[in-house]
């Protein structure tokens, strides 16, 4: 298995729309396994394929305390959202170090395919509901900072671009 490179905001590739998965083969299984390893290594509780520059509708999630309850969602669709909404301080592996409040449905029902292509449905709440909605945003090219004010979003974009330049400069100078 491999640790994959996670694209950083405002990389334009994060805004591409992911295509439906139609072939359930060993390539897909290896991609899911590599994404899971990358997520656990980050560490995070979710990761969407567009974040590793693969523009297919594939998401891995594990909100368990012991990192042993991996959920793989393929071609996920939300089939019901609760009228109740809740605010959560979100982060994103593509926007490291930034956390801010995003309001989302408190509960959702999601229909998806598993790694063998079999359909299933889940009714989720709490952190899992936040994560499912956050990851499904990635599949339509949306990053959580887009829910913030233009002022906050521009400050985050400037900060991320500055960090990227510094990282590239240090790499060229061979420094950590
Ligand atoms: O998509 C991602 O970048 C993964 C996020 C998923 C996530 C975002 C907001 C709320 C819940 C999950 C990363 O896991 S961000 C790091 C993190 C870790 C634990 C809890 C919340 C956020
Ligand atoms: Zn994210």
């Amino acid at each position: 298995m491999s640790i994959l490179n996670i694209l950083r905001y405002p990389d334009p590739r994060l805004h591409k729309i992911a295509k439906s998965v139609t072939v359930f083969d060993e390539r897909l299984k290896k991609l899911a396994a590599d994404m899971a390893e990358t997520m656990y290594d980050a560490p995070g509780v979710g990761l969407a394929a567009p974040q590793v520059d693969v523009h297919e509708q594939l998401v891995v999630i594990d909100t368990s305390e012991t990192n042993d309850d991996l959920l793989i969602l393929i071609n996920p669709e939300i089939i019901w959202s609760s009228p109740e909404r809740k605010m959560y301080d979100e982060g994103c592996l593509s926007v490291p170090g930034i956390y801010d409040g995003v309001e989302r449905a408190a509960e959702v029902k999601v229909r998806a395919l598993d790694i063998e292509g079999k359909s299933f449905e889940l009714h989720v709440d709490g952190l899992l509901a936040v994560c499912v909605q956050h990851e499904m945003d990635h599949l339509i090219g949306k990053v959580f900072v887009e829910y913030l004010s233009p002022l906050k979003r521009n400050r985050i974009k400037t900060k991320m671009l500055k960090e990227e330049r510094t990282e590239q400069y240090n790499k060229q100078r061979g420094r950590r």
Side-chain angles (χ1 to χ4, degrees), residues 4 6 8 38 64 68 70-73 106 113 115-116 124 129 133 138 140 142 147 156 163 170:
L4 306 175
I6 297 175
R8 293 252 181 113
T38 303
S64 70
D68 59 359
L70 183 65
L71 174 62
I72 298 173
L73 300 175
L113 302 179
I115 200 67
E116 304 297 341
V124 295
Q133 294 172 86
H138 278 300
I140 57 170
K142 193 164 186 171
Y147 292 98
I156 292 166
E163 286 179 5
N170 290 338

Side-chain angles (χ1 to χ4, degrees), residues 16 80 126 155:
K16 289 172 70 171
W80 174 85
R155 282 178 176 164

Side-chain angles (χ1 to χ4, degrees), residues 39 43-48 51 63 88-95 99 127 130-131 134-135 138:
M39 173 187 70
V45 297
L47 189 66
Q51 291 181 272
T63 56
Y88 191 93
D89 235 13
E90 296 196 13
C92 182
L93 297 177
S94 294
V95 197
Y99 294 86
L127 175 59
V130 177
C131 194
H134 177 109
E135 301 310 335
H138 278 300

Side-chain angles (χ1 to χ4, degrees), residues 36-55:
E37 184 178 8
T38 303
M39 173 187 70
Y40 290 128
D41 177 72
V45 297
L47 189 66
Q51 291 181 272
V52 293
D53 201 16
V54 174
H55 302 282

Side-chain angles (χ1 to χ4, degrees), residues 76-86 104-112 120-126 128-130 132-133 136:
E77 50 182 325
I78 290 177
I79 55 176
W80 174 85
S81 296
S82 64
E84 184 200 1
R85 298 178 66 76
K86 275 189 182 169
R104 298 186 190 267
E107 301 177 46
V108 291
K109 281 184 186 171
V110 59
R111 177 182 298 135
F120 67 96
E121 290 184 8
L122 283 180
H123 183 162
V124 295
D125 61 4
L128 188 50
V130 177
V132 165
Q133 294 172 86
M136 287 183 65

